[in-house]
Amino acid sequence: DSDDNLSNDNGTIQQQQLHLQDSTHPHILKVILDEKNWYSLYIGGGIKHEGMEEAMSSATKLPKAQFESSITLANLTGYLDRTMFQYTVDQTSTSRLLFCHERPFYTWFPEESVAAQSILAMMKGSQYSLGVRALVDTVDYESTRSYKEYQRLVQWRLDNTGNVSRPEMAPDMYWGIDWTLALRDVVPRKDSVLPYAAD
């Protein structure tokens, strides 16, 4: 027989009280989980993946170098969530901003709500995850399509695993639902002689 009593203290302490009972000796077991907050910071450089194929097939075109920085915060709210900020800029001053936040699906609802309890009552309900992703990026297609694409998007994803960067990394069968709102601006390449004309 079990009776769960969960409380949260500053997002780090959870208490769970279990009543274990057999036919002759009842026992009460109290388990206290102290969930730590973690962060990681990365600063470095690399080669931009866009245009890599063109650079490998061309004797004159070189791949673009880029500066990368990111910070990842784990368990920021005490619900095994993951938050990441990333900024990159390449040698042509083209920048990219990325924000991601992912947490268990039931934690988006009040703890005692019907929705949260219904999700937890499902098989592996605590593994269902809902995340949000915001991106501002410029994709350079000038070498192959004669234009650049300025992207701004917001994406929501509901899946059954959580904290998996790619579906093929899921330990079990993966399913997910994505909703994306995106704005795209296409900027034609400028003529090399007449700056007001498109190529």
Side-chain angles (χ1 to χ4, degrees):
D1 183 20
S2 67
D3 180 18
D4 296 342
N5 182 12
L6 299 180
S7 62
N8 196 306
D9 181 13
N10 294 326
T12 58
I13 303 295
Q14 289 188 345
Q15 294 185 354
Q16 184 174 18
Q17 182 170 315
L18 304 177
H19 298 274
L20 306 178
Q21 182 174 353
D22 55 25
S23 58
T24 58
H25 299 88
H27 301 281
I28 296 178
L29 176 64
K30 180 177 291 186
V31 179
I32 299 177
L33 302 178
D34 187 1
E35 298 177 352
K36 299 295 185 181
N37 300 334
W38 297 94
Y39 69 91
S40 63
L41 178 65
Y42 169 77
I43 298 175
I47 302 297
K48 199 167 187 177
H49 68 277
E50 297 165 7
M52 180 66 72
E53 294 181 1
E54 292 85 353
M56 293 178 64
S57 60
S58 175
T60 58
K61 183 177 177 58
L62 297 175
K64 293 180 180 179
Q66 69 177 12
F67 167 79
E68 307 169 2
S69 62
S70 66
I71 182 170
T72 302
L73 307 173
N75 199 35
L76 187 63
T77 64
Y79 289 103
L80 301 179
D81 54 290
R82 182 174 178 269
T83 305
M84 183 184 71
F85 301 92
Q86 185 183 70
Y87 173 76
T88 62
V89 59
D90 65 17
Q91 64 191 38
T92 61
S93 299
T94 301
S95 60
R96 180 178 187 266
L97 292 172
L98 174 65
F99 166 78
C100 299
H101 179 73
E102 186 175 15
R103 60 192 295 175
F105 185 34
Y106 74 93
T107 64
W108 291 89
F109 304 97
E111 186 175 349
E112 300 299 329
S113 66
V114 176
Q117 297 302 318
S118 299
I119 296 170
L120 288 174
M122 300 169 59
M123 182 178 296
K124 297 183 178 180
S126 62
Q127 296 184 16
Y128 286 67
S129 175
L130 179 64
V132 61
R133 180 173 178 261
L135 174 69
V136 177
D137 193 9
T138 300
V139 184
D140 188 355
Y141 293 123
E142 285 193 348
S143 60
T144 56
R145 306 180 196 176
S146 299
Y147 70 87
K148 289 183 178 181
E149 186 175 296
Y150 182 49
Q151 300 178 347
R152 291 150 290 176
L153 66 86
V154 177
Q155 181 184 65
W156 294 84
R157 171 177 291 179
L158 173 64
D159 58 40
N160 66 329
T161 55
N163 289 333
V164 175
S165 58
R166 298 192 306 272
E168 57 267 22
M169 298 176 62
D172 203 348
M173 184 181 69
Y174 174 88
W175 66 261
I177 302 173
D178 289 342
W179 179 84
T180 303
L181 174 63
L183 298 175
R184 299 168 56 215
D185 290 333
V186 176
V187 182
R189 182 171 59 187
K190 297 297 182 180
D191 188 87
S192 58
V193 178
L194 302 174
Y196 54 84
D199 192 355

